[in-house]
């Protein structure tokens, strides 16, 4: 192994440590556990205040207008590859962006507010489009910009190469994915699932993950953060069980990460890469005596290939633009439609009926009420706990719903929408199947554990 300079070592350590501190180290702020990036985003969000919904309106509108422009004139802009990458999309995704734009305009201007029985009111009401715009997009727009801008600290200075070399022997045999995916998992689990999806999409588009690996990591390791888990448990008023609750979430997450990649649809994904030759090797090359030595070598090599501050901001703005213009319209469209179905139809009640026999077999209290929360979690993570808080009285049943709503993981209003809006190769039917698989595996673990906790 050739000797690396002290400058290369510093170039690896300093940005990587700063990135870990910003994205992964939990800190207590305002009596809540969170991460630095989220704190900064909240401060910026408070400063911008009422401007955020308007900013979201502008972004979503630009996305659909320029998407339509590229669709009709593919050679509209040739000198700016980043513009083409950001706005060019297939017809179906442009259509989704257009629908998202229609929804956000109707919601922003509160069209139909006086007609409570009208169809437009269903779209724009505070529980549907209003929730997506004011409570979700207005938060994501800052997170996406800040996280996208700073993600190169984790991506571009050798951290993934170093951790990938260290953990390949663990991640590959247990979870069938590269060691570098441990960073995605840690970023999601401690920080936020949306950050994990962003990181995974970036690595897939860069050629570091195959189709199968990207699909597994996005749907299995984009875990719900500690912060959101606390919010869900508080919603059902069971915070005294938080230690056991979060331990159970972690255990279920590990079991799902072992089982789900080994069954369809994830097991059917191909190990094909968007860019060949970027993926790390899985064995130690000749001349290296340890994984640590090889990891350091790869990290130093990555640092020496970096073009400095120009590349840092170029990659950062590319990340942020991709999430702003590619994902926000999708979340607005799919998230609103999902909440309209959840709040104004019985479709999720009906879809929950097949879970009744399993819930009764597992001896879960108020099985009929719990069954209604099983499928609704596909739309939004908080909806099951909201339903449980208002219609379920059994603490055990509430606890089970709170755990399942977090371990289901695939929410169209957040992580699911982000996956669909990215280039990660998972479609809507596949997302739903993975959601069902995670729900069943989670139930089989959580129900016996809940009986032990509440009856012992």
């Amino acid at each position: 192994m050739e000797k690396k300079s002290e400058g290369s070592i510093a170039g690896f350590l300093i940005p990587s440590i700063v990135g870990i501190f910003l994205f992964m180290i939990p800190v207590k702020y305002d009596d809540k556990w969170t991460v630095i990036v989220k704190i900064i985003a909240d401060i910026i969000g408070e400063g911008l205040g009422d401007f955020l919904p308007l900013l979201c309106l502008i972004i979503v509108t630009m996305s659909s207008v320029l998407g339509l422009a590229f669709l009709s004139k593919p050679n509209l802009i040739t000198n700016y590859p980043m513009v083409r990458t950001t706005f060019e999309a297939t017809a179906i995704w442009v259509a989704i962006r257009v629908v998202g734009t229609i929804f956000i305009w109707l919601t922003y201007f509160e069209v139909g507010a006086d007609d409570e029985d009208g169809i437009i009111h269903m779209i724009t009401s505070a529980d549907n489009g209003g929730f997506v715009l004011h409570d979700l997009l207005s938060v994501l727009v800052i997170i996406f910009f800040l996280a996208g801008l700073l993600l190169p600290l984790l991506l571009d200075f050798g951290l993934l190469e170093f951790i990938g070399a260290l953990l390949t022997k663990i991640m590959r045999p247990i979870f069938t994915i590269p060691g570098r995916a441990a960073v995605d998992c840690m970023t999601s689990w401690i920080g936020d699932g949306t950050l994990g999806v962003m990181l995974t999409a970036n690595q897939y588009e860069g050629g570091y993950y195959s189709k199968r690996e990207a699909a597994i990591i996005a749907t299995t390791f984009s875990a719900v953060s500690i912060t959101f888990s606390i919010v869900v448990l508080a919603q059902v008023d069971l915070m005294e069980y938080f230690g056991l609750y979060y331990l159970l979430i972690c255990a279920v997450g590990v079991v799902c990460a072992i089982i789900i990649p080994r069954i369809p649809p994830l097991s059917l994904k191909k190990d094909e890469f968007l860019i060949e030759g970027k993926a790390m090797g899985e064995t130690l090359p000749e001349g290296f005596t340890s994984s640590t030595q090889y990891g350091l070598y790869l990290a130093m090599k990555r640092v020496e290939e970096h073009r400095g501050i120009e590349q840092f901001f170029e990659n950062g703005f590319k990340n942020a633009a991709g999430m702003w213009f590619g994902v926000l319209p999708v979340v607005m469209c799919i998230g609103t439609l999902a909440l309209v179905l959840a709040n104004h139809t019985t479709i999720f009640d009906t879809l929950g009926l097949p879970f009744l026999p399993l819930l009764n077999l597992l001896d879960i209290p108020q099985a009929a009420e719990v069954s209604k929360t099983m499928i609704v979690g596909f739309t939004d993570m908080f909806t099951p706990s909201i339903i449980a808080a208002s219609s379920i009285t059994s603490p055990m049943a509430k606890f089970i719903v709170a755990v399942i709503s977090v371990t289901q993981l695939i929410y169209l209003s957040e992580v699911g929408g982000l996956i669909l809006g990215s280039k990660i190769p998972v479609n809507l039917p596949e997302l739903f199947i993975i959601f069902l698989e995670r729900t069943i595996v989670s139930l089989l673990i959580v129900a016996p554990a809940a009986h032990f906790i509440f009856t012992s």
Side-chain angles (χ1 to χ4, degrees):
M1 182 181 82
E2 61 184 273
K3 187 175 180 180
K4 299 296 178 184
S5 68
E6 291 183 3
S8 296
I9 295 175
F12 158 56
L13 289 177
I14 293 174
S16 298
I17 290 172
V18 172
I20 290 171
F21 180 71
L22 289 174
F23 283 91
M24 299 184 186
I25 302 300
V27 296
K28 198 167 188 178
Y29 177 78
D30 199 19
D31 291 328
K32 295 185 292 186
W33 287 99
T34 184
V35 289
I36 298 295
V37 164
K38 187 64 168 62
I39 294 173
I40 298 172
D42 288 343
I43 292 172
I44 295 174
E46 290 175 6
L48 293 176
D50 295 337
F51 176 68
L52 291 177
L54 176 60
L55 177 60
C56 294
L57 177 75
I58 294 169
I59 291 170
V60 173
T61 303
M62 284 182 61
S63 175
S64 63
V65 169
L66 289 175
L68 286 168
F70 272 107
L71 199 61
S72 59
K73 296 182 179 180
N75 297 320
L76 183 65
I77 298 176
T78 57
N79 296 330
Y80 300 96
M82 193 174 89
V83 175
R84 176 176 294 280
T85 302
T86 301
F87 294 103
E88 193 172 34
T90 61
I92 188 168
W93 286 113
V94 171
I96 289 174
R97 292 182 184 185
V98 171
V99 173
T101 301
I102 294 170
F103 285 174
I104 200 169
W105 274 81
L106 292 174
T107 302
Y108 182 82
F109 289 103
E110 300 181 348
V111 177
D114 297 330
D115 183 12
E116 294 187 3
D117 296 324
I119 295 176
I120 293 180
H121 178 77
M122 284 197 299
I123 294 171
T124 62
S125 68
D127 292 334
N128 302 318
F131 173 82
V132 176
L133 174 57
H134 298 287
D135 294 88
L136 188 58
L137 260 62
S138 294
V139 175
L140 290 179
V141 69
I142 301 299
I143 284 285
F144 284 169
F145 177 76
L146 197 61
L149 192 63
L150 298 176
L151 265 179
L153 293 170
L154 295 178
L155 301 176
D156 294 352
F157 297 94
L159 179 64
L160 297 189
E161 284 75 10
F162 179 70
I163 291 181
L166 291 183
L167 295 183
T168 291
K169 293 181 179 178
I170 298 173
M171 299 293 285
R172 179 63 70 183
I174 297 177
F175 304 116
T176 75
I177 55 177
R180 66 194 290 129
V183 176
D184 303 56
C185 181
M186 288 186 291
T187 300
S188 296
W189 217 297
I190 298 173
D192 188 83
T194 57
L195 301 180
V197 174
M198 289 174 65
L199 200 156
T200 302
N202 182 286
Q203 293 295 281
Y204 171 62
E205 292 174 26
Y208 298 99
Y209 293 151
S210 68
K211 290 181 177 179
R212 183 187 63 82
E213 291 165 352
I216 289 172
I217 296 165
T219 59
T220 305
F221 286 89
S222 298
V224 176
S225 70
I226 296 174
T227 304
F228 280 113
S229 300
I230 292 173
V231 172
V232 169
L233 193 62
Q235 182 72 46
V236 295
D237 197 24
L238 292 173
M239 279 303 296
E240 65 269 26
Y241 294 98
F242 182 75
L244 292 170
Y245 166 75
Y246 199 70
L247 184 64
L248 193 54
I249 288 172
C250 294
V252 172
V254 170
V255 173
C256 285
I258 294 172
I259 295 174
I260 304 302
R262 290 176 166 84
I263 59 178
L266 290 179
S267 65
L268 301 178
K269 298 292 182 182
K270 304 294 185 183
D271 273 314
E272 299 172 347
F273 294 83
L274 285 182
I275 302 174
E276 295 292 340
K278 289 285 189 176
M280 283 176 51
E282 305 258 323
T283 58
L284 284 179
E286 186 178 345
F288 295 93
T289 58
S290 69
S291 298
T292 302
Q293 184 188 36
Y294 182 49
L296 281 172
Y297 168 77
L298 291 175
M300 302 302 101
K301 185 178 179 182
R302 184 67 187 270
V303 169
E304 292 180 353
E305 292 173 350
H306 199 271
R307 291 187 281 107
I309 195 72
E310 177 186 350
Q311 183 179 346
F312 176 85
F313 283 110
E314 179 183 316
N315 291 342
F317 282 117
K318 181 180 178 181
N319 293 336
M323 301 306 289
W324 263 17
F325 297 102
V327 177
L328 288 182
V330 175
V331 175
M332 187 68 211
C333 174
I334 295 179
T336 301
L337 289 174
L339 289 176
V340 167
L341 290 175
N343 294 326
H344 297 279
T345 74
T346 60
I347 185 170
F348 292 111
D349 293 23
T350 304
L351 290 173
L353 289 177
F355 282 92
L356 260 179
L358 177 59
L359 295 173
N360 286 322
L361 179 65
L362 295 171
D363 196 23
I364 294 175
Q366 296 183 263
E369 286 77 11
V370 172
S371 70
K372 297 177 183 179
T373 70
M374 292 294 100
I375 300 298
V376 75
F378 190 54
T379 66
D380 178 70
M381 175 179 63
F382 296 115
T383 308
S385 61
I386 293 170
I387 294 173
S390 61
S391 65
I392 297 175
T393 56
S394 165
M396 181 193 298
K398 285 184 177 182
F399 181 84
I400 290 171
V401 171
V403 175
I404 297 295
S405 67
V406 172
T407 57
Q408 285 174 324
L409 201 62
I410 310 296
Y411 322 107
L412 289 183
S413 63
E414 192 184 56
V415 169
L418 303 187
I419 292 171
L420 292 175
S422 72
K423 294 183 180 180
I424 296 170
V426 182
N427 58 38
L428 184 59
E430 289 172 337
L431 275 184
F432 186 64
I433 293 171
I434 295 167
F435 170 85
L436 292 177
E437 291 171 347
R438 294 189 64 90
T439 302
I440 293 169
V441 172
S442 298
L443 270 173
L444 294 175
I445 300 171
V446 172
H451 277 287
F452 177 79
I453 293 169
F454 286 88
T455 60
S456 60

